[in-house]
Amino acid sequence: MENLRGLLRIHIQRGVNLAVRDMRSSDPYVVVKMGKQKLKTRVVKRNVNPEWDERLTLSVADANLPVMVCVYDKDTFSFDDKMGDAEFEIDSFIQALKTRLEGLTDGTIIARVQPSRENCLAEESCIIWSNGKLVQNMVLRLRNVECGEVELQLQWIDVPSSRGL
């Protein structure tokens, strides 16, 4: 990929109060899309508060593309049921990466992103300097469904042969 700027590692931590799509529970998994890339987590059986704790890595060529997060209920004998979706931009995270980060103390908040009608944030999202890396913690409120949130964390990975930011 000649236009590679770097890698975006998305730590899919957990789902909270996801919708019930089977008799009494659901078998949820997450699909993450950016442009033509599509990655997914494992299925967590019979759980509307799943702990995925999985790291998915996307190649970023165009930092203006949104990241789509879709949650599905795995079904054996029919199509998987949609359990909601969310979308977020990484522009605030990319802007924070361009600032001078040397010498910061662990836990320093670089920027705050407020929830609004334009994003799917359920609460304020902080971009933090943590263990020598920039991370952004997010709680996404799922759309097109009666309830549910997904908690995740973003981390940037520089690739030596990339164009960079």
Side-chain angles (χ1 to χ4, degrees):
M1 185 180 279
E2 65 188 49
N3 293 327
L4 181 67
R5 293 181 163 279
L7 302 174
L8 182 67
R9 176 157 299 147
I10 303 174
H11 180 192
I12 307 288
Q13 297 165 329
R14 68 187 60 82
V16 178
N17 193 30
L18 299 179
V20 173
R21 287 293 180 259
D22 295 333
M23 291 297 278
R24 283 177 281 199
S25 191
S26 293
D27 305 314
Y29 65 95
V30 175
V31 174
V32 176
K33 297 179 196 171
M34 184 181 199
K36 294 180 179 175
Q37 298 173 82
K38 182 176 172 182
L39 302 169
K40 70 180 197 174
T41 66
R42 74 187 191 292
V43 174
V44 176
K45 297 275 190 194
R46 295 178 296 283
N47 199 329
V48 293
N49 294 294
E51 298 276 340
W52 286 290
D53 191 26
E54 288 190 41
R55 288 163 180 81
L56 307 176
T57 305
L58 295 166
S59 301
V60 178
D62 182 356
N64 294 316
L65 287 175
V67 178
M68 282 291 300
V69 175
C70 299
V71 182
Y72 293 93
D73 170 48
K74 181 71 175 162
D75 286 329
T76 306
F77 301 110
S78 63
F79 291 111
D80 294 354
D81 301 314
K82 195 162 187 185
M83 296 174 66
D85 62 79
E87 182 177 279
F88 63 89
E89 306 279 339
I90 61 170
D91 54 340
S92 297
F93 188 60
I94 297 296
Q95 288 305 314
L97 282 164
K98 293 178 180 179
T99 63
R100 291 189 50 130
L101 301 170
E102 301 87 30
L104 293 177
T105 56
D106 201 48
T108 300
I109 297 174
I110 308 301
R112 299 172 192 269
V113 182
Q114 300 301 320
S116 70
R117 290 182 183 198
E118 285 78 46
N119 62 40
C120 292
L121 294 174
E123 59 189 43
E124 180 181 77
S125 173
C126 292
I127 301 171
I128 302 169
W129 185 253
S130 176
N131 297 319
K133 296 181 178 114
L134 197 66
V135 298
Q136 182 174 1
N137 297 309
M138 292 183 164
V139 178
L140 299 174
R141 180 171 289 119
L142 297 174
R143 306 177 293 197
N144 305 311
V145 69
E146 58 272 19
C147 60
E149 296 176 348
V150 174
E151 296 178 14
L152 53 86
Q153 182 183 74
L154 305 181
Q155 178 189 334
W156 186 259
I157 301 169
D158 279 316
V159 177
S161 61
S162 71
R163 285 184 10 202
L165 299 171

